[in-house]
Amino acid sequence: MATTTIRLDEELKARLAEAASRAGTNAHAFILEAVTQRVEQSELEHEFHRLAEKRWAKVARGGKTLSLED
């Protein structure tokens, strides 16, 4: 497993400790969960935009569409 160092100001470090405590975990586990959630969200957003661009390209090439009235 790789190691990454982050620098936190004292206020954020204290907030992190409090949040981790409220969650019933330690700062390390809290950070891992937060990073994991953010990476997964980023991946989902990337896939959403990739699919939207693919579908828009199909429409732009003359794909079928519906009017607002339909």
Side-chain angles (χ1 to χ4, degrees):
M1 185 177 292
T3 299
T4 299
T5 302
I6 61 171
R7 300 191 192 292
L8 305 174
D9 63 40
E10 291 302 317
E11 179 187 354
L12 182 56
K13 186 176 179 180
R15 290 172 58 203
L16 169 62
E18 289 177 26
S21 178
R22 282 191 305 271
T25 189
N26 60 39
H28 176 80
F30 192 88
I31 290 169
L32 284 178
E33 182 179 346
V35 170
T36 299
Q37 287 177 0
R38 185 60 186 105
V39 167
E40 289 172 354
Q41 182 64 37
S42 177
E43 291 167 345
L44 287 171
E45 290 171 3
H46 175 74
E47 179 59 18
F48 175 82
H49 288 285
R50 187 196 67 76
L51 183 57
E53 288 173 4
K54 181 180 174 182
R55 289 178 178 175
W56 179 249
K58 183 177 179 181
V59 169
R61 288 191 310 267
K64 292 183 179 182
T65 61
L66 296 174
S67 68
L68 185 57
E69 293 79 26
D70 291 336

